[in-house]
Amino acid sequence: MADLVLGISAYYHDSAAALVADGVPVAAAQETFTFEGHTSVLGVTDKLLGPTPHFVELGHTFPSALADEATAAAELAVAALDAPGFDFGPAHVEAKLTPRGPVLIEVNARTGGDFIPDLVHHATGVELLRQSVVAHSGGRPDLTPTRAEGAAIRFIAGRSGTVTGVPDPGVLANFPSVVAFRTKAEAGRRTVWPSHSHERLGHVMTRAANPARAAVQADAALAHLAPVYEE
């Protein structure tokens, strides 16, 4: 049986939970939309977590590359929404993947944060935020995917120390898969290894033919945005 440890980190409104299975944090989130009592699962997001004790989210990939686990997580999400009678609007359900199956962590009656709606849009063509407005305005949301691709985001973590240099983001022109990026690092700034999401130093987002390729290209692009620190 796996050794399971539940960890929770909170900072003002920013919080996260992680389940560690045999020393490895594993997580997934389900992006859903419920209309007229029917819940559509738009996909499952693979989440890349930082180490204990904070489990800061360092990346997301959509849709999940874990076929069987993603199916089980999606089924859990629908059941979790049905239990309290959730019947309208977007939801973001988080679960942790374990050898015994997905374990429910939280249910949120909103879209996911951390640019997850952007990932859904790039991968499927569905604009979650726009369709949420449509539904709340009395219209019928269009949740029909117009493409089946992949998208990923990776966050610049930084570390403890003083930044002495920042790479030229122009290098990202060599990565045609990059659709968005931001860097907050600047020379002279003191940073720390992030204990919450507000201490991350930026991000890079990619879109590719499939989620695995998007993830690889996001990792590669991220490496070119790493700040330089004094020794």
Side-chain angles (χ1 to χ4, degrees):
M1 180 178 295
D3 181 20
L4 303 178
V5 179
L6 176 64
I8 300 176
S9 172
Y11 180 84
Y12 295 110
H13 65 281
D14 178 52
S15 62
L19 193 74
V20 178
D22 290 331
V24 180
V26 285
Q30 294 69 244
E31 319 310 327
T32 70
F33 203 106
T34 304
F35 186 73
E36 294 182 342
H38 172 73
T39 297
S40 300
V41 179
L42 297 173
V44 175
T45 306
D46 289 339
K47 303 174 80 66
L48 176 64
L49 302 179
T52 57
H54 303 294
F55 306 106
V56 174
E57 295 176 348
L58 299 179
H60 310 295
T61 302
F62 183 91
S64 174
L66 305 173
D68 294 339
E69 292 90 341
T71 298
E75 293 172 350
L76 174 65
V78 174
L81 292 169
D82 285 345
F86 184 82
D87 62 0
F88 182 82
H92 176 77
V93 181
E94 296 207 2
K96 308 306 169 184
L97 307 181
T98 80
R100 292 179 293 176
V103 176
L104 182 67
I105 295 296
E106 61 183 26
V107 177
N108 304 280
R110 56 167 175 78
T111 59
D114 258 0
F115 301 96
I116 288 178
D118 298 78
L119 299 183
V120 174
H121 180 216
H122 285 301
T124 70
V126 177
E127 296 184 83
L128 268 177
L129 298 179
R130 179 184 295 274
Q131 297 310 318
S132 182
V133 172
V134 168
H136 282 84
S137 300
R140 176 175 291 276
D142 184 359
L143 305 175
T144 305
T146 58
R147 53 179 171 262
E149 299 181 6
I153 188 169
R154 295 293 184 266
F155 296 96
I156 304 171
R159 64 175 176 81
S160 296
T162 300
V163 176
T164 58
V166 179
D168 179 1
V171 69
L172 296 183
N174 297 313
F175 294 87
S177 61
V178 171
V179 294
F181 73 91
R182 182 190 181 194
T183 177
K184 298 186 290 183
E186 55 186 17
R189 176 175 176 175
R190 287 197 57 80
T191 67
V192 296
W193 176 263
S195 61
H196 54 82
S197 62
H198 300 289
E199 289 179 335
R200 298 176 307 198
L201 300 178
H203 67 270
V204 60
M205 185 185 302
T206 57
R207 170 185 168 185
N210 56 63
R213 182 171 296 179
V216 168
Q217 295 180 356
D219 289 335
L222 180 70
H224 289 275
L225 293 180
V228 178
Y229 287 84
E230 65 181 6
E231 295 299 329

